[in-house]
Amino acid sequence: MMDAKDIAGKVAAVQELLTLKFGIKHARLEKMLARAGRRLPKRVQTQIRTLIAAEQQAGHPKLSRLVDETAVRQAHDAVMAHLREIDVADRRKGKLLGLAGTVVFNLLLVVVAFVGWLWWRGYV
């Protein structure tokens, strides 16, 4: 039987990885999930909600017997596996490359508009 300490340990591990991978301040898991938002897939969000519900039930003496141990264990394993796969450096590189692509596209658009204006005015 899983007790509140086991579930709290699993929740703490998920919170630690969310802090490391997304830079979210350490808070309650519900708040961290809200701050992660769309950066997490729906299935991972659902599994985190399973952990949240289990944590809330484990705090209550009579409801703690209703906690599904296998569901909590599977949810924890799936969330941890997903969070471990996230490469922070790769995400950072992707953001920088996306920003660079946007800047280059806008610069190219301005140059084409300027050359078009020069051609229209008859300077070219």
Side-chain angles (χ1 to χ4, degrees):
M1 182 173 192
M2 220 176 232
D3 62 345
K5 289 180 184 178
D6 294 335
I7 294 174
K10 291 181 186 304
V11 168
V14 170
Q15 288 173 328
E16 185 66 30
L17 273 182
L18 282 172
T19 301
L20 288 174
K21 299 296 183 170
F22 293 111
I24 300 171
K25 288 183 182 178
H26 192 77
R28 289 188 348 256
L29 191 55
E30 300 97 3
K31 193 170 218 174
M32 293 179 83
L33 177 62
R35 289 201 177 154
R38 290 193 277 169
R39 292 182 281 182
L40 289 172
K42 290 287 183 188
R43 63 178 172 78
V44 174
Q45 291 180 14
T46 304
Q47 292 163 342
I48 290 177
R49 285 189 189 96
T50 301
L51 290 173
I52 292 169
E55 183 183 30
Q56 290 172 348
Q57 285 181 345
H60 193 276
K62 289 187 178 181
L63 292 178
S64 64
R65 291 181 282 170
L66 298 176
V67 174
D68 186 10
E69 295 177 29
T70 57
V72 170
R73 192 173 298 114
Q74 288 174 352
H76 176 260
D77 293 342
V79 169
M80 293 297 283
H82 177 77
L83 291 176
R84 284 187 188 119
E85 290 176 2
I86 295 173
D87 186 12
V88 178
D90 187 46
R91 287 182 59 230
R92 194 175 301 127
K93 286 178 195 174
K95 283 183 183 179
L96 286 175
L97 287 175
L99 179 66
T102 302
V103 169
V104 167
F105 176 76
N106 288 334
L107 187 61
L108 184 64
L109 191 65
V110 168
V111 168
V112 167
F114 181 68
V115 170
W117 179 77
L118 287 176
W119 179 73
W120 178 60
R121 296 293 292 176
Y123 295 120
V124 176

